[in-house]
Structure formats: C-alpha cells, structure tokens
Amino acid sequence: MTGEASTRVVHLVHETVSVVVDVSGGVPSIVHWGAPLSGSDAATLTAMTARPLTHGSLDLVPPLQIVPQHSLGVLARPGLQGHRPGGRDWAPRFSECDVRATGRSVTTVSHDRIAKLRLETHLELTESGALRASATVTNEGDTRFLLDALTVALPVPSSARDLTTYSGRWSRESTTHRQTIDHGAWTTENRTGRTSHEYPPTLWWSTVDAREWGGEVWGCHLAWSGNHSLLAEVMPDGRRYAQLGELLMPGEVCLDPGASYATPVVVGAYTSGGFTLASWVMHEHVRTAARDTAASPRTRKVLLNTWEATYFDHDTEQLKALADAAADVGIERFVLDDGWFGARRNDRAGLGDWVVSREVYPQGLAPLIAHVRSRGMDFGIWVEPEMVNRDSDLVRAHPEWVLHSPDYEPVMARHQLLLDLTNEAAFSHIYGQLDALLRDHDIAFVKWDMNRPLIHASAADGTAGAHRQTLAFYRLLDVLRAAHPRVEFESCASGGGRIDHSVLSRTVRAWTSDCNDPLERQRIQRGVGMWVPNEMLGMHVGARVSHTTGRSQSIEMRAITAMFGWMGVECDPRKLDDHERTVLRTAIALHKQHRELLHGGLTVRFDLDDDTALAHGVMSHDASEALLSYMQMTTSPWLVAPRWRINGLDPERTYTVAHLPLGRLGGIGHTLPDWMNSPLRCTGRELAVVGLQPPSMWPESGMLVHLAS
Ligand code: DGJ
C-alpha cells in the first residue's frame, strides 16, 4: 500500500486498485486505473501502454492528462479554460512539474511561465481504495485571469463500454439509465445552483457484462453542492474518460494576481467485482469524510417529521398529541417542520424571520419541547436559512440582502428568493438568529431545507453568484456546527436536491425525496444508494395514500421500504388503523434491533431474473449476518418467481436463513416455500449458486429475510 515512485512514474497501490500515474508531462496522466498491479514495475507499464504515432495525426501522441491541455493537441475537452483581458493566455501549456509522492498520494506543481499560471494537482488513494482527484490554478501574472472552467478528467480503458447515469425531478430523484457508448459524448450541465434533483453528480463506466456482483466498474462522483458539468466521452482515437467539475457562469471566477481557484474533489471508485462492490468504495469515502468532520452520530434515532401530518397547521396541544402517538409506536425524535416562525402561516411569508411565532406558540416552543422530552424523545426543527420571502421583516428591512440580478425582476419559485450569504451583514444576521434559536432551545437536530434553485442569481456586485453562495452556505453550516457540535444537521432541498459527498461531510443525513410512495422510493433509494450509504438517507413511512402520487400501498410495503435507511415516519400515527399501527410499531422495533447492522454494514443489491421484483439488504462486514428485503414491485410474468441468488456471503459458512414476519404477507400461493415455514441451514455458496425460492407474492408486497451464521 505504498506509492512507488520511479523517475517519472508513480504507482499508487491499494489491495483492490492500482493507479499508475505518468508525471513526465507538466500535468499527470493516468496510465492505468483499475485492477491491482502490485509488484509491477510502473515504468514497464508505461512502456507497455505507449501509443504509436499514426498517419493523419499530430507528430506527437497528445497525452490525456487529468487536466487535458488543448495546447498539446488532445481532442478531449480542455480541463483549464480561461483567458486574460484581451483574450490572451487562453490555452496554457504546463510542461514540467515538481512531483511529491508520499504513501498513496501524489501532488504535482507546474507552471506556464508564458501564461503566468501555476497548476497544482493532487491524486490520492484512500484507505478504502477511493481515488480523490483535484486541481488548483493560481494566477501568477499581474492582470486578472478570467476562469471559465477547471475540471478533472479520469481516463478509463476501452473495455469500459457501458455508461450508467442518473436523471431526476422533484419527487422522482436518481432515476438510473444505462447505455453502451462507443462514440461521441454524454454530458449534463447543472445550472440549478444546488446539487439538484435533475443532474445527480455521479456516473459509472463499466464493462458491458457488469452486474451487481461481477464485472469491472469505474465510478466518478463530484463532491460539490453547486453548479456542475459532467462529461463522459469516447474520443475519435478510442480513448475514454469522464470529466467532472464545477460549471462556472460567465465571469463568475476572476482570479486577481495571486488568487487561486480549487476544484471540488472528484471521487473515483474502481472495482472488478460489480456495482455493489463499487458502491462500497463510495460509501466508505463519505462515511470517512463524515467521521473526520464529526458528523456521525452514534445512534441514528427513528424520527417523526411533522410535515405531512400537519403542514402549516401548528397548534401546541395537537402537536403534543401527535408526539404522544409518535412515542407510542417507538419514535425517538420529534421534528417540527415548516411553519413555527415569523409570519409563516403558509408558504408566502415569513422566510428569513427565524423567531418563534407568538401567534401560534404564545408560550414559545419550550412547552412543546418539554412535552416531547417527557415522552423520551429528543426534538428537531426545520429551517431554510438561505431563503427569504418578500413578505418578511428581513426583506422589508434589507431588500439589498436579496441575491438577484440588479434591475431585473427575479424569477420566483415557491414565492421565495435567496438571501445573499456573501453579504457579511446578511450572513451575520442569519447566523445570529440560528445561533440564538439553538442556544435558547433544547434542539438535537436541524432539518436544513433549500426549496428553490439559484436562477439568474447575482451577488451584490452584479456578477454571477452561485459559486460564492455555495461556499458561503458551507461556511454558515460549518460555523453553526462548530458552535453547536452536538446538534445534528440534515440536508434537504425539496427532498433530494442536495445530496453529495461534500454536504454529507457536514450533515448526518439527507432527505432522500419528498415522495414517500414505496413503489417510487424503492427505485429512488436504489439509485442514490449507489453513492450514499443507507444510514445517511432519510427513509420514512408515509400515509396510506401517498401525498405525492395519490397511490396507496400496504403498511408492510411502506415499512419494509423505510426500514433499511435512517428510518422515520412522515404521517400522523393517530390516523393509522390498528393493523397499521401494530405493523409500524413492530417494524420500528425490528429496525432498532438490527440498527447496528443496518447503519454500519455493507449494502448488498441483487440481480434478479425477474425484472418485476427488487432485492437488496445489508450484510455485516465479516459476512456473518445479513438482513435482506425482497419486493414484488408489479405482477410477475410467472406464477412462481425465479430463484433469488444471494451473492456476497461467505461461501464456506453455514447460515440460518429465516423469514422475518411483518404483518401480512400478500401472496397468491396456497403454500409457502419450505424455508419460510422453518428456518433453513445452508451455505453461502448454496445461496449464491442455487438461490432461494421466493414465495408467490402480490404486486406491491415484500418480505424480510434474516441470515445469521
Ligand atoms: C420541502 C421538504 O422536502 C419537505 O419535507 C418539507 O420540509 C417542506 N419543504 C417544508 O416547506
């Protein structure tokens, strides 16, 4: 696990992955990112992979560097784009670099003495085998350098012919798409000013045969919560790469003499073992980032969020009764959503005034919090600090604090505007209010929402503001966390509009989606679950009739779908019938019983031979235990479902396989498969090779299976 440096080649070695980096040019080129090659001589690998010159091409083979350089003739999208006033220095060339290789990391520093720019790059393999890549440009000239883009490119071999990407919208985040791509490019540009529902910042190259448990996979994720661009290209010369970085608006980053710009970190995940194993690399990366910044609570408490139970209808006595019903089913945290402050009786007023409304809480929040605490729960609260309504005391006093483009009428969304957090006075004001809220109340958890995109958003000087606003958001969150280290923060943006590894190094979880319909949730969670572990994803049991789809599902399906993440409830337990309440109580108890496994284990997903079902679960790191779910999403084309091959377990171990009953099993069979009647003993190999026979189930119903050795 050491970096081996030969003259101009550095080999970053991990037991699961090798990264061979040629640093002989001014910018590193990755010669190999893939299967481990420990013992191989890095210089030999470079010689093996050197490309020949051909007719019809340049007189040199332009390297595909991690910041591709147009000045060397490579046809990839240039990694550094910009110019000085008058248009000069638009295509820099960095031709020599200083190299510092330590352990599993390499840093290079190079200069373009003509363009007077300095470029620093950093590549690092983490303890868990994730590749972290970033670059920083510094203006060493005496005029301004207008930066259009600085992005990082990671090459993949020609066997990486399939590309998996994501799309989404409010209430239907992280929809997975897979295609074979042999020429041209796939690209997305996110201008929403937040990570977005529409363009999740993750993609996976893979071999065509890659499945959950086999095949080579190369994942890339951009750890950034603002605008971004993603590109996956097959160049005409056959080379393939992914390029990720922040999307800068015109004039958004102008580097004064001496100033620098650093890219967000691109996280790479390679495995030869399929998508499930690739997801583990991403999961460990974000878990480590959260641990390093102390954003990992010991126990992720089952919570009730009041939004879909009460919306803006706040009444202390009613909320106390709701808290009683919550405690009765085993809830551990009561989160008071939107509507408790200022003139916020609906979504047209009050944002920006983070002071408890005396109209709805004549005695403040203290009596409600005391009641919640007396029922053994802790208390959480909703805020949306980056936003204001025009109808607010804040905007009446400081219209100049609104982020907008001067002289233009701003585009509205949900009747709200953005607060310019780059304005120090506005920042201090909002910090002061939130700090006071947390100081004055016994608050354990803050749900931090962001319900509109940044459209046409200029800072006070009239220049594009998304980059600075994103950094200011991080700063506000960081200073609040530092002042209140025991408070846990959740990232929410109308559901899953801000889920990435940067925000998740600061928050304990993300609200996955406003859609609690389990039919949708199964697929949303499976999508985002590729780069975020279950315990960081809020998964709630919603009302019988889903508020966002109008569909209804059984309490069993709702509960099984929510149990695998950071579990919560997003409905009024008083409105459940007796059966629903009993099942919910049982599911919460089961979740608590298995919480250590669910929240610390390895996510496992399975390839089924029946596309109408989905199966996933969590396995302990030593493969001694697993809790799995099998969900029949729609009717199966077959009366009897194909066997479910359960991979990932220890082939040599013998497991006790047991059905964990929860409420009613909706089924069309006269009999159940034998193993469901009495626990079965079989090996991990038998489970993977032969598979387990699922029962014949109704659509929209599922079951839980426990395995222990
Ligand atoms: C959007 C969030 O996703 C919901 O859960 C809720 O908090 C509302 N905002 C409140 O306005």
Side-chain angles (χ1 to χ4, degrees), residues 68-86:
Q69 303 195 72
H70 170 79
S71 61
L72 291 177
V74 73
L75 295 181
R77 186 164 71 181
L80 173 57
Q81 298 179 49
H83 63 277
R84 294 190 188 277

Side-chain angles (χ1 to χ4, degrees), residues 307 337-338 344 382 414 447 449 451 492 494-495 511 514:
W307 181 239
D337 209 284
D338 197 354
R344 188 76 170 167
W382 177 97
R414 208 189 188 204
K447 176 179 178 184
D449 207 344
N451 283 304
C492 171
S494 300
W511 179 220
D514 275 351

Side-chain angles (χ1 to χ4, degrees), residues 279-571:
S279 76
W280 295 353
V281 181
M282 287 289 180
H283 295 173
E284 262 331 287
H285 177 264
V286 67
R287 280 173 169 169
T288 307
R291 269 197 300 271
D292 289 352
T293 57
S296 303
R298 285 242 319 270
T299 305
R300 293 166 193 262
K301 298 187 173 178
V302 181
L303 61 85
L304 178 131
N305 190 77
T306 61
W307 181 239
E308 291 197 4
T310 66
Y311 289 106
F312 288 109
D313 192 7
H314 287 221
D315 172 275
T316 303
E317 293 315 308
Q318 284 300 319
L319 287 164
K320 284 182 181 172
L322 182 60
D324 292 343
D328 179 55
V329 291
I331 299 286
E332 300 162 302
R333 172 172 291 165
F334 185 86
V335 182
L336 186 67
D337 209 284
D338 197 354
W340 56 267
F341 53 93
R344 188 76 170 167
R345 304 294 78 77
N346 53 51
D347 62 8
R348 291 172 178 264
L351 285 179
D353 302 334
W354 303 107
V355 177
V356 180
S357 163
R358 290 288 158 173
E359 186 191 336
V360 274
Y361 294 98
Q363 269 119 44
L365 290 176
L368 175 62
I369 296 178
H371 186 81
V372 165
R373 300 288 288 146
S374 76
R375 302 307 311 260
M377 297 179 286
D378 66 23
F379 186 80
I381 201 157
W382 177 97
V383 294
E384 195 177 4
E386 296 143 273
M387 300 291 163
V388 290
N389 286 117
R390 271 199 178 119
D391 184 359
S392 63
D393 293 343
L394 183 146
V395 172
R396 275 184 287 276
H398 293 286
E400 75 283 7
W401 286 0
V402 170
L403 194 70
H404 71 291
S405 288
D407 303 326
Y408 291 91
E409 189 53 31
V411 175
M412 300 298 291
R414 208 189 188 204
H415 316 287
Q416 63 196 58
L417 293 160
L418 284 124
L419 181 69
D420 184 356
L421 292 178
T422 69
N423 177 313
E424 276 308 318
F427 185 98
S428 309
H429 173 82
I430 222 71
Y431 173 79
Q433 284 198 328
L434 296 173
D435 180 54
L437 175 71
L438 297 178
R439 267 182 216 293
D440 296 347
H441 300 92
D442 184 2
I443 291 175
F445 177 87
V446 171
K447 176 179 178 184
W448 184 307
D449 207 344
M450 185 211 196
N451 283 304
R452 65 153 292 164
L454 278 71
I455 302 296
H456 205 191
S458 297
D461 63 2
T463 61
H467 170 73
R468 281 170 289 169
Q469 181 78 358
T470 307
L471 293 178
F473 153 66
Y474 288 155
R475 182 159 74 94
L476 182 57
L477 188 48
D478 288 346
V479 291
L480 274 165
R481 290 175 56 232
H484 303 277
R486 270 199 267 279
V487 176
E488 297 169 18
F489 289 84
E490 170 178 50
S491 171
C492 171
S494 300
R498 189 151 62 187
I499 306 182
D500 60 79
H501 284 200
S502 185
V503 80
L504 283 171
S505 67
R506 300 170 157 93
T507 56
V508 295
R509 76 172 204 162
W511 179 220
T512 315
S513 177
D514 275 351
C515 183
N516 296 307
D517 174 333
L519 209 54
E520 301 292 326
R521 268 305 187 112
Q522 282 281 336
R523 293 199 189 279
I524 294 170
Q525 291 165 189
R526 199 172 173 103
V528 65
M530 278 298 297
W531 65 97
V532 182
N534 286 335
E535 75 272 12
M536 291 187 181
L537 293 169
M539 302 185 188
H540 293 185
V541 177
R544 191 176 312 138
V545 177
S546 161
H547 290 205
T548 56
T549 66
R551 264 192 309 235
S552 29
Q553 279 99 6
S554 67
I555 184 66
E556 289 83 357
M557 184 180 190
R558 285 179 273 153
I560 290 175
T561 302
M563 271 179 65
F564 283 81
W566 184 325
M567 192 177 186
V569 170
E570 191 86 20
C571 65

Side-chain angles (χ1 to χ4, degrees), residues 5-18:
S6 77
T7 31
R8 302 310 276 168
V9 180
V10 179
H11 188 175
L12 310 178
V13 194
H14 183 271
E15 66 217 26
T16 59
V17 56
S18 268

